[in-house]
Amino acid sequence: MGLEQFKNRNVGTQNYKMLNLGQSPEKGLDKFKQVVNRTFKGELFVGLWVTMREMINALFRDNMHTVKYPFEKLPISPRYRAIHDMLRLLESGHYRCIGCGLCEKICISNCITMDTRYDENQRKEVSEYTINFGRCIFCGYCAEVCPELAIVHGPRYETASEQRASFSLFEDMLTPIDKLNLQQEYDGFGAVSPNADENIKKTPLAY
Amino acid sequence: MEIVTFTEVETFVQHIPEVTAAGVIIKAIIILAVISAIAGFGTYIERKVLAFMQRRLGPMHVGPYGLLQLVADGVKLFTKEDIVPQNANSLVFKIAPSITAATAFIALAAVPVFPDFTIPHWVPLLGGVFVPSIAADLNIGILFVLGMMAAGLYGPLLAGMAQANKWGIIGAARTAIQFLSYEVVTGLSILAPIMLVGSLSFVDFNAAQAGGISHWLIWQQPVAFVLFLIAGFAETNRTPFDLLEHEAEVVSGYATEYSGMRWGMFFIGEYANMITISIIAAVVFLGGYSEAGIGWLTIILKVGFFFFLMLWVRASWPHIRPDQLMWLCWKVLMPIAVINVVITGIVMMV
Ligand code: SF4
Ligand code: SF4
């Protein structure tokens, strides 16, 4: 579809629905009749009734629309991309991140900094992991690329801070160990799709 | 506390205690204190009522249910920097807000604010002083009040012209046309009740309607009541006639360059005028404080009703244009008011 129909400014040739507003009265008597009709139509009182009804609804029928924001919050979509969370494994409580570095690699604003080392069991552990939220554009690529569902976007959207560049450390984003039972599996950005099992195919080994 | 009520005019005339200077001064202080407090509190009520009508909560955080919002506002107004624009006529600019506030309170001098009472004798120093219902019971009470409120419009007029701001000039021009439009209607609409009562004093109005709801003048003069209400809304420049400071059109009209306490004085003046108009409407048409014993309560309820009506209308109705206001006042309301006066006169003669 082209843009032609939107560029046509000749009002009336398009499929506009015209309101029937009637004719403005010309003669004095007609004007007078219109004034009298409008005056005694009671529309002003309809207006008064509407506001009164809303006031009664708000006060007595629990129809108040104000959200007392810092104290109450509206639910947000699970796909909302706010400050990251690092999740833990539910069974062992160990953090999920395997230090693969994919998130650091894919981050388009280069704001993830991480380092890894071998621990005493010769296993890889994350020794350093920060995200510079002064640069993060919350694109969600890191969450999408993470093979372990370790880094996800959480719902914490109050990102105002006193410093222009505020770094978040691994420990700050990691689910606290005592809140492990409260950890929510993330069904938003980068999560496994509900029909993931059906999409699994055998790895084609025979080239 | 002994409350003297005027159930009968004769007893009133016989038993009137002497009005002393002390009583008048006490009354003046009561008016100043109570009305300024109510005017300030009115802003809170207005915000709350408008909020409820839009299904909001309104101010909630300063004090319980936002009750102390008034204090926060006061602190803000008093501590704001006092700015006089560079090209403004600074003398007139500084005087204008006081005109609005002062005339609003001077008008209240001739309005019955509460029923009269005598301070009980156990009160030290002031015991036994009779406090009249009106600080100055002038025999031209109504004319004085309306005249004072009309003079109050010099405030917006001078403010708008002194501040070297185009929105202010437009606001001042609108003040002039609004003043020219409604003042005729106010006078003519209240003329019919004055003819019926035969006096210009509010006390006489009050006494004339003693004896229950059926004696209220609104039943004899419904047209005058409606006209007076409309003109009163214009007089206090409330919606739908708030052309003077119509935010969507002229920024803030005559108050554009004002801030801090000078702006606050315009505000207090406006709210005091709202209360004055409410009291006049209540006393002239709705029987005032004439109910025996509970006059102080009924007058508060009546004034409260009119105050609420002003907020209610503001939440419901759109503004009108200045030319529509002039059309309404000169071509519709004034003829109706004149006809009403003529008919009243004919009925009284027959
Ligand atoms: S959301 Fe985007 S910009 Fe932010 S850390 Fe992840 S990949 Fe980088
Ligand atoms: S992509 Fe996931 S597992 Fe890999 S380093 Fe980043 S957070 Fe850790």
Side-chain angles (χ1 to χ4, degrees):
Chain A
M1 193 175 68
L3 289 174
E4 289 78 29
Q5 73 170 83
F6 297 111
K7 290 182 177 165
N8 179 7
R9 299 271 183 253
N10 298 319
V11 178
T13 61
Q14 302 96 330
N15 287 333
Y16 288 127
K17 190 174 185 298
M18 306 301 275
L19 293 176
N20 180 19
L21 295 176
Q23 291 277 307
S24 293
E26 297 284 328
K27 289 204 288 290
L29 184 64
D30 293 340
K31 282 186 188 170
F32 179 73
K33 278 183 190 161
Q34 189 186 39
V35 168
V36 172
N37 277 340
R38 288 183 176 172
T39 307
F40 293 103
K41 218 173 173 183
E43 279 172 346
L44 289 175
F45 295 97
V46 175
L48 284 180
W49 160 240
V50 167
T51 42
M52 180 53 80
R53 186 188 65 206
E54 292 311 319
M55 183 165 161
I56 294 169
N57 279 345
L59 287 179
F60 305 114
R61 302 212 185 117
D62 206 19
N63 210 346
M64 198 67 91
H65 280 212
T66 304
V67 178
K68 293 180 219 153
Y69 162 61
F71 312 113
E72 323 176 331
K73 288 178 187 168
L74 291 175
I76 56 169
S77 156
R79 297 188 64 80
Y80 194 84
R81 303 197 296 270
I83 296 285
H84 306 67
D85 281 335
M86 304 296 287
L87 302 187
R88 287 181 188 270
L89 290 168
L90 290 178
E91 297 85 0
S92 63
H94 196 267
Y95 54 79
R96 288 183 186 176
C97 177
I98 54 172
C100 71
L102 282 175
C103 52
E104 182 191 24
K105 203 86 182 161
I106 204 169
C107 174
I108 41 179
S109 24
N110 270 340
C111 59
I112 300 183
T113 310
M114 64 180 297
D115 211 349
T116 54
R117 62 163 183 244
Y118 292 115
D119 67 1
E120 59 270 25
N121 302 324
Q122 291 296 298
R123 291 177 57 148
K124 213 175 185 183
E125 75 169 2
V126 180
S127 57
E128 187 189 320
Y129 193 107
T130 61
I131 299 181
N132 178 350
F133 284 114
R135 295 181 58 168
C136 174
I137 59 168
F138 300 98
C139 62
Y141 282 5
C142 50
E144 194 162 358
V145 80
C146 179
E148 297 293 316
L149 289 180
I151 183 165
V152 296
H153 278 292
R156 190 157 64 88
Y157 51 79
E158 285 146 332
T159 50
S161 109
E162 289 168 2
Q163 294 173 345
R164 191 165 65 89
S166 61
F167 290 83
S168 232
L169 304 178
F170 192 58
E171 292 74 31
D172 298 336
M173 296 181 282
L174 200 58
T175 314
I177 191 72
D178 50 330
K179 300 246 177 68
L180 186 58
N181 54 344
L182 297 178
Q183 175 174 298
Q184 292 281 317
E185 205 47 58
Y186 183 69
D187 56 354
F189 216 76
V192 186
S193 56
N195 59 350
D197 285 346
E198 300 160 22
N199 291 340
I200 290 178
K201 295 198 187 76
K202 222 172 143 187
T203 312
L205 291 174
Y207 286 105
Chain B
M1 187 192 303
E2 177 197 355
I3 298 175
V4 181
T5 49
F6 313 127
T7 39
E8 287 151 27
V9 187
E10 296 81 47
T11 54
F12 162 65
V13 173
Q14 285 158 13
H15 294 281
I16 183 164
E18 193 189 355
V19 177
T20 55
V24 172
I25 290 173
I26 291 172
K27 186 69 186 180
I29 292 173
I30 290 179
I31 291 178
L32 259 181
V34 171
I35 300 289
S36 339
I38 296 178
F41 196 62
T43 64
Y44 169 77
I45 306 244
E46 168 151 24
R47 271 182 262 184
K48 273 293 193 195
V49 169
L50 288 185
F52 291 153
M53 288 186 166
Q54 295 160 356
R55 283 189 279 175
R56 294 184 287 113
L57 282 172
M60 281 299 279
H61 294 301
V62 194
Y65 295 97
L67 270 170
L68 296 180
Q69 185 73 37
L70 179 58
V71 181
D73 282 347
V75 170
K76 181 196 129 190
L77 286 182
F78 273 109
T79 52
K80 253 187 159 179
E81 186 187 351
D82 179 27
I83 299 173
V84 178
Q86 199 170 27
N87 292 325
N89 183 334
S90 80
L91 178 69
V92 180
F93 185 86
K94 287 173 184 164
I95 289 178
S98 347
I99 296 180
T100 305
T103 49
F105 282 105
I106 295 174
L108 277 166
V111 169
V113 177
F114 292 107
D116 44 9
F117 62 91
T118 309
I119 295 180
H121 285 278
W122 47 264
V123 176
L125 281 172
L126 298 173
V129 175
F130 172 72
V131 179
S133 61
I134 305 185
D137 182 13
L138 309 173
N139 48 4
I140 53 158
I142 290 180
L143 286 188
F144 178 79
V145 173
L146 292 181
M148 255 314 153
M149 292 181 70
L153 277 193
Y154 273 110
L157 193 64
L158 294 179
M161 296 204 296
Q163 63 187 246
N165 178 309
K166 59 182 171 183
W167 308 117
I169 291 286
I170 298 175
R174 288 182 169 199
T175 313
I177 62 153
Q178 182 157 340
F179 173 69
L180 291 177
S181 308
Y182 72 75
E183 201 54 48
V184 183
V185 183
T186 323
L188 283 177
S189 66
I190 214 160
L191 190 57
I194 290 174
M195 287 159 63
L196 283 180
V197 174
S199 165
L200 286 165
S201 161
F202 285 106
V203 174
D204 292 343
F205 268 94
N206 186 55
Q209 298 176 74
I213 292 182
S214 56
H215 287 69
W216 288 2
L217 274 180
I218 182 176
W219 310 125
Q220 293 179 45
Q221 290 289 346
V223 178
F225 175 67
V226 172
L227 291 178
F228 181 77
L229 260 196
I230 295 175
F233 273 64
E235 180 128 20
T236 49
N237 75 73
R238 301 289 305 173
T239 317
F241 306 114
D242 60 342
L243 315 167
L244 275 57
E245 41 177 336
H246 195 175
E247 294 88 357
E249 292 168 5
V250 289
V251 188
S252 194
Y254 67 89
T256 305
E257 294 283 2
Y258 281 90
S259 67
M261 210 45 223
R262 294 192 203 286
W263 181 83
M265 279 160 83
F266 277 126
F267 218 68
I268 290 176
E270 182 179 331
Y271 277 81
N273 273 340
M274 282 168 72
I275 294 167
T276 315
I277 282 288
S278 304
I279 295 178
I280 297 178
V283 172
V284 172
F285 291 101
L286 291 191
Y289 50 95
S290 57
E291 284 81 3
I294 52 165
W296 59 273
L297 179 64
T298 53
I299 185 86
I300 286 177
L301 287 180
K302 288 164 191 169
V303 170
F305 168 75
F306 282 115
F307 200 86
F308 178 75
L309 185 70
M310 288 180 179
L311 309 184
W312 189 10
V313 164
R314 175 166 178 196
S316 312
W317 293 353
H319 315 268
I320 64 170
R321 293 195 309 263
D323 62 314
Q324 288 171 329
L325 174 72
M326 287 192 280
W327 174 85
L328 180 74
C329 286
W330 285 108
K331 287 192 172 174
V332 182
L333 300 184
M334 194 191 72
I336 296 179
V338 172
I339 294 172
N340 187 42
V341 168
V342 171
I343 293 179
T344 309
I346 292 175
V347 170
M348 280 174 68
M349 282 200 314
V350 172

